[in-house]
Amino acid sequence: MISAERRAIEWECTRLIALYANLNDQHRWEEIAALYHPDGLMTRPTAPDVEIRGSQAILAAFKARPPRITRHFCSNVVIDVDDAGHARGHCAILLFTGDGPPLVGSFDDRFVATDSGWRFMERRGRLTFQR
């Protein structure tokens, strides 16, 4: 793989992370679920041991949340390209909810190339500091 292809994959996956945060803050659940592969897996930073599998189950989990105002910040994004169809990523997150102190955590991601573009195959969150 040439470096231009690698950089393009890194950019696409980094964009996916930022898009996810923005859509989450805007409560655009259907669009978030569409960022996952149909068989994708998610764990929330606040519940890292609870696996939610499949884009439809992920959509249902987001819709089941009580309404709240949030602002997610993702930084220190590092993407490692495995091959033309697979990549891994890590980012730090900071979540403000207005309900208490900010939450600090991270996501470990696995990405897969699909006919619709790059998607999350796996998104595992965890908190760095517990309340």
Side-chain angles (χ1 to χ4, degrees):
M1 172 180 304
I2 62 172
S3 62
E5 292 170 326
R6 181 175 304 280
R7 283 193 308 274
I9 293 168
E10 291 169 351
W11 184 88
E12 289 289 341
C13 293
T14 299
R15 182 182 184 282
L16 203 59
I17 290 169
L19 181 59
Y20 185 100
N22 291 337
L23 293 172
N24 198 342
D25 291 335
Q26 297 166 12
H27 305 157
R28 292 164 63 180
W29 311 136
E30 290 83 5
E31 291 171 75
I32 287 177
L35 298 180
Y36 282 88
H37 183 278
D39 299 322
L41 177 137
M42 174 185 84
T43 68
R44 290 188 167 121
T46 55
D49 298 325
V50 178
E51 294 184 350
I52 304 167
R53 190 173 301 274
S55 58
Q56 291 306 307
I58 292 166
L59 175 59
F62 275 107
K63 285 184 170 184
R65 291 170 107 173
R68 64 182 185 162
I69 297 172
T70 61
R71 178 51 93 187
H72 293 79
F73 293 91
C74 301
S75 67
N76 304 357
V77 177
V78 175
I79 305 296
D80 294 308
V81 178
D82 294 328
D83 56 42
H86 301 88
R88 293 169 284 116
H90 179 83
C91 70
I93 58 166
L94 180 60
L95 171 61
F96 293 93
T97 64
D99 295 348
L103 298 177
V104 178
S106 61
F107 278 108
D108 288 303
D109 299 314
R110 287 183 36 234
F111 305 95
V112 62
T114 71
D115 291 340
S116 301
W118 284 88
R119 296 292 181 258
F120 290 104
M121 190 69 213
E122 189 173 292
R123 181 145 239 237
R124 292 186 178 271
R126 68 178 174 276
L127 294 178
T128 304
F129 305 110
Q130 302 295 322
R131 288 188 182 183

